[in-house]
Every structure is written in structure tokens, then in C-alpha cells.
Amino acid sequence: MFKHIVDNDIELRLVDIHHAGEMFKSIDSNREHLGKYLPWVDSTETVEDTISFIKNSKKKYAANDGFDASIWYKGEFAGVIGFHGINPSIKEISIGYWLDENYVGKGIMTKACIEFINYAFTIYNLNRVVIRCAEDNLKSRAIPERLGFTKEGIIRDGELLKDGYVNCVIYGMLRKEWNRGY
């Protein structure tokens, strides 16, 4: 099983069915927090739904088209970070993430993103990493801004959430601009 130590407190692990219960429990207890910006939260109704996500993630990993990792903080499940499919024609990938509300504000996701960005540029040998955030999700937007991503624009009505469409801000980082960790 893929396991990557980020620091003394943070560990990334390839999502695994053995942790589906912990993942679902986090989603279920954070519905309001996560559902504000993530359209899949309401349709994740059972542990079996989480298992389906994990199985799809494993297929993506096997096809070398990205992967999802669970984030562990001091031995506790804290969230998920993942690569969305690789666009081979322009050597681009996007990163998506979510964090249990109990772990927000500890720098966990910023550190996890650094590891994923390094992976995208060094292991996948890609040229571009994209992070897309709801325009009013300031905590999520703070991560690419903190990491020096360029705000490239806004997609109007870029995502449909339970309360309607929201604009999405697109952030991009080019390999030649990235100067952290490699």
C-alpha cells in the first residue's frame, strides 16, 4: 500500500477499502461543512458509496491516470486529496481536496498539496497543475494562493451545488515556476 510520510504529524496513504468506514464517518459528520462546496456529498449516503469511490480511485491509479490519497493527521483520518485525470495532450493535471472541519487551519492541506505538486512534476513529468475552487471558498482558495499559483480566471457558474451554481476560480502552476521541493 502506498504510504508517504509528509512530516511527524501528516501521512498520505492511497485510499483503501479498509478505511472506508472512517472516511464515510468523516463525510457524514461534516455534511454541512463539505456540502457547501462539494457536489458529491449529498449522494454519499452509505459506506458502500464511499467504497465505490475507493474502487473507482483504484481503477484510476491502475490506469496511471491519477490517484486519491487519504490524509492522516497524528494517526487520525483527516481528509482526502486527489489527482483528477491527466490531460496528456498538454501534460496537465488538476488537484482536488477536502478536509474534515476538525483539521482545518493546521497547514495540513497546504503540505499535502506540496507533496502532490512535487509528484505531478517529478513522477508524472507534467507541465501544469490546476486547482479549481469555488469563488467564495476563501479557505480553499488560500492554498493555491499561498503556494504561488497564478489566478488565471473565473469560470462563471462553473459548478452546480445543492444551492445552485457557483463561480469557480482557476489557479495554475507551471513546472518552470514551481520552486518547492525539487
Side-chain angles (χ1 to χ4, degrees), residues 35-51:
K36 187 172 180 183
Y37 297 112
L38 300 170
W40 51 264
V41 172
D42 285 342
S43 63
T44 304
E45 299 174 337
T46 65
V47 174
E48 288 73 26
D49 295 327
T50 303
I51 290 170

Side-chain angles (χ1 to χ4, degrees), residues 24-89:
F24 177 73
K25 181 180 175 187
S26 179
I27 294 165
D28 199 40
S29 64
N30 281 268
R31 288 194 179 277
E32 186 175 332
H33 166 69
L34 297 173
K36 187 172 180 183
Y37 297 112
L38 300 170
W40 51 264
V41 172
D42 285 342
S43 63
T44 304
E45 299 174 337
T46 65
V47 174
E48 288 73 26
D49 295 327
T50 303
I51 290 170
S52 291
F53 161 75
I54 293 167
K55 286 180 178 177
N56 286 333
S57 179
K58 296 224 181 238
K59 288 177 187 173
K60 182 170 61 171
Y61 180 70
N64 201 32
D65 194 29
F67 62 90
D68 299 287
S70 54
I71 302 168
W72 298 81
Y73 181 73
K74 296 183 178 180
E76 300 290 325
F77 176 82
V80 172
I81 184 169
F83 284 128
H84 301 138
I86 296 171
N87 181 339
S89 65

Side-chain angles (χ1 to χ4, degrees), residues 84-156:
H84 301 138
I86 296 171
N87 181 339
S89 65
I90 58 172
K91 297 184 83 170
E92 174 187 90
I93 201 163
S94 66
I95 297 175
Y97 45 79
W98 65 268
L99 204 56
D100 184 299
E101 192 169 21
N102 294 318
Y103 299 98
V104 172
K106 299 180 185 301
I108 297 167
M109 194 57 75
T110 299
K111 290 178 182 179
C113 280
I114 289 169
E115 299 301 318
F116 263 61
I117 296 162
N118 285 338
Y119 197 94
F121 291 142
T122 60
I123 305 301
Y124 282 150
N125 195 31
L126 297 175
N127 183 56
R128 180 174 153 77
V129 174
V130 173
I131 296 177
R132 178 177 171 157
C133 306
E135 188 174 27
D136 67 344
N137 189 347
L138 301 181
K139 289 183 180 181
S140 189
R141 289 180 55 190
I143 294 166
E145 290 172 1
R146 187 177 304 116
L147 294 175
F149 277 61
T150 298
K151 179 181 172 185
E152 297 179 340
I154 296 175
I155 299 175
R156 296 175 303 137

